Amino acid sequence: MANAAAAVHGRTVSPWSDAEITEAFTRFEAQDPEPNGELDHTDAFTLLVAVVLSAQATDTGVNKATKGLFAAASTPAAMVALGEDEVAHHIRTLGLFRGKAKNVVELSRLLLERHAGVVPQDREALEALPGVGRKTANVVLNIAFGVPTIAVDTHLFRVANRTGLAPGATPLAVELGLEARIPDRFKLHAHHWLILHGRYICKAAKPACSRCLITDLCRWPDKNF
């Protein structure tokens, strides 16, 4: 509901100026110069698996599930050897765990078959793996390979529309809007700043506007102080 309301609002606001966008990200950078994703991982493969598992789940929940999973299998070969039933057992606390287990084992098999067990640094190749969509590919490219992609999750989608920073009816529209407007110097970390802002400050039910770094720039009319 909150995201739908934000998207409706986003269609009514005037666009941010270049100066406002630069000011907003300058503030985010000053507060947190090197933001990190919150999914536990040790390399590109464990990151890929964690992001696939994070669909409709919290990062905290995923981290609890992957602690045992990655202890048992932290490479594509080990994941295939572990098998779908055992993977499912490790991640049974997550929603849709059986389908996710199937995807994790199959993407591991395909990494071995197509990429010598190495996670590819290529969007098309990533999206050809089961369970990997555009957002997952963007996260992996950004965190594992330092590509300045913008992964639009539910938090970022809400922030972009609610503030008026990059309104869009779909995640792709928001992503392209942000890519077009954010200065290059901020792009590597931009989606981390916005996701964390949506998760902890610009929350769906009760945004903490009194603690918001950009409340003076935000176009949302129902600020919560």
Side-chain angles (χ1 to χ4, degrees), residues 11-133:
R11 295 199 292 268
T12 71
V13 296
S14 59
W16 285 34
S17 68
D18 290 344
E20 286 175 317
I21 292 173
T22 297
E23 176 62 22
F25 284 99
T26 297
R27 295 178 192 178
F28 285 133
E29 183 181 54
Q31 182 188 58
D32 187 4
E34 296 288 337
N36 295 306
E38 296 186 322
L39 289 171
D40 293 339
H41 63 283
T42 56
D43 57 17
F45 174 68
T46 53
L47 173 65
L48 174 61
V49 171
V51 181
V52 168
L53 296 179
S54 72
Q56 300 181 43
T58 66
D59 287 0
T60 299
V62 172
N63 290 340
K64 289 179 180 178
T66 56
K67 184 175 181 179
L69 176 63
F70 292 155
S74 60
T75 67
M79 199 69 74
V80 171
L82 189 61
E84 190 176 320
D85 288 344
E86 281 301 307
V87 172
H89 176 75
H90 281 289
I91 66 170
R92 64 192 182 280
T93 55
L94 302 177
L96 308 174
F97 70 95
R98 293 196 182 281
K100 290 178 179 180
K102 181 177 181 179
N103 284 339
V104 166
V105 172
E106 181 63 8
L107 73 82
S108 299
R109 187 188 69 79
L110 290 174
L111 285 175
L112 292 167
E113 178 183 293
R114 299 174 180 174
H115 307 288
V118 177
V119 175
Q121 189 178 338
D122 177 82
R123 179 190 300 284
E124 184 176 354
L126 284 168
E127 291 189 29
L129 299 171
V132 180

Side-chain angles (χ1 to χ4, degrees), residues 168-190:
T170 66
L172 179 59
V174 169
E175 177 187 336
L176 296 177
L178 288 169
E179 285 185 345
R181 298 298 309 281
I182 295 174
D184 288 345
R185 60 173 282 213
F186 298 121
K187 280 184 179 175
L188 180 62
H189 296 314

